[in-house]
Amino acid sequence: MDYSVKNLVINNCGISYIDEGPENGKIILFVHGFPFNKFMWKRQVEVLKATCRVIAYDVRGHGNSGAGSEEFSIDLFVRDLIGLMDALSIEKVCLCGLSMGGYIALNAAVNHPGRFSSLVLCDTTCVADSPEGKEKRMKAIENIETNGVETYAVESIRKLFSPDSLSERRDDVAVIKEMIMNTSTVVLGKTLRALAGREETCGRLKEIDAPVLVMAGEEDTITPPSAAMQIHEQIKGSSLHIVEKAGHISNMENPISFNHRLMQFVLETISH
Ligand code: MLT
């Protein structure tokens, strides 16, 4: 499947994206997790593009986007997201983010409420890193610098996928491993620092009044279903879907369950 990959300079950084489906349709914009890229959404883009305009972009430093010269932060990633929407003259989208993409989506939703008609928050959390969590990120940076990106990729995929996915979805595992290995040591370090420095958004979830779907892989050990439940309980009227037979990358590990619920949500909220 071929996509026409496009590029725009946003906040002095080249941002790579795909833009598929009918120009005048409802727009769904996807934000990937760390350290992946826009093609992690391939199975969602394929299904949704018949109904919606579907945009997926590479967060700076990832995939084919540039890295720019600034230190990374979730705030900067949100400025890029809003900058991309502005550059494309898009006022409002349904925003769907997984994990780091969810941190970006939550931050964007509370700080730019008028720009999002609905939200899909996947395998993510509103909680900031604990001191131990931050420490682990600093250790990961040291390990990447000492042992290289491949070792980091091998260790990461064991935690990202459920045990069954690791043995049964080898192609997906290989795709994710390659995405990690194509991310530079510098970008891994800069993004790990940004993730460690992010602020919690739990205290602001009550401000969100757009329709929200929260999803999590039932075997996600990085941001477990309890984290999804916490978000769901704080956002009035939100829906929760636990993706069976999936770990942290629920959209790839069980695309049938994920897409079915996503499509239902998109159709339910199409007029927003
Ligand atoms: C992700 O998938 O984006 C990461 O697991 C997020 C994180 O490390 O907090």
Side-chain angles (χ1 to χ4, degrees), residues 32-36 98-101 103 123 129 137 160 192 195 198 222-223 248:
H32 61 79
F34 165 77
F36 319 133
L98 182 136
S99 199
M100 174 181 76
Y103 308 155
D123 299 280
D129 275 8
R137 304 237 194 236
L160 292 165
L192 282 162
L195 295 173
R198 77 184 189 282
I222 297 176
T223 46
H248 187 58

Side-chain angles (χ1 to χ4, degrees), residues 40-231:
M40 75 168 296
W41 297 112
K42 189 173 85 167
R43 295 202 188 93
Q44 285 66 49
V45 175
E46 276 314 291
V47 169
L48 282 161
K49 71 179 189 186
T51 317
C52 306
R53 178 171 170 197
V54 189
I55 299 169
Y57 74 100
D58 291 331
V59 173
R60 69 165 66 204
H62 297 75
N64 298 114
S65 285
S69 54
E70 290 171 65
E71 284 311 311
F72 289 180
S73 64
I74 298 297
D75 287 345
L76 177 62
F77 295 158
V78 170
R79 286 209 298 281
D80 290 342
L81 164 68
I82 299 295
L84 179 64
M85 288 172 62
D86 289 345
L88 293 170
S89 303
I90 293 171
E91 180 57 31
K92 273 193 172 197
V93 292
C94 167
L95 184 64
C96 176
L98 182 136
S99 199
M100 174 181 76
Y103 308 155
I104 295 170
L106 279 167
N107 179 311
V110 295
N111 290 311
H112 304 270
R115 305 299 299 269
F116 304 102
S117 51
S118 50
L119 295 173
V120 185
L121 304 166
C122 320
D123 299 280
T124 196
T125 177
C126 59
V127 176
D129 275 8
S130 62
E132 299 74 42
K134 289 187 210 278
E135 188 61 28
K136 270 197 198 158
R137 304 237 194 236
M138 298 312 130
K139 288 238 163 64
I141 297 173
E142 272 174 40
N143 284 341
I144 294 164
E145 283 164 358
T146 313
N147 303 318
V149 179
E150 180 156 18
T151 307
Y152 178 68
V154 170
E155 283 168 7
S156 298
I157 54 176
R158 283 199 211 112
K159 296 180 226 148
L160 292 165
F161 289 92
S162 74
D164 282 350
S165 299
L166 278 175
S167 55
E168 288 161 20
R169 304 195 77 96
R170 287 176 194 236
D171 290 353
D172 292 321
V173 173
V175 165
I176 286 291
K177 185 176 170 200
E178 178 145 348
M179 286 182 188
I180 300 174
M181 286 179 54
N182 285 337
T183 313
S184 74
T185 305
V186 171
V187 164
L188 290 169
K190 285 175 80 163
T191 316
L192 282 162
R193 281 192 195 88
L195 295 173
R198 77 184 189 282
E199 287 179 11
E200 62 95 19
T201 44
C202 308
R204 298 191 62 190
L205 293 179
K206 286 198 160 66
E207 296 169 29
I208 298 176
D209 66 359
V212 176
L213 169 63
V214 188
M215 295 209 262
E218 70 176 339
E219 295 172 62
D220 184 347
T221 54
I222 297 176
T223 46
S226 56
M229 179 65 84
Q230 184 180 6
I231 297 174

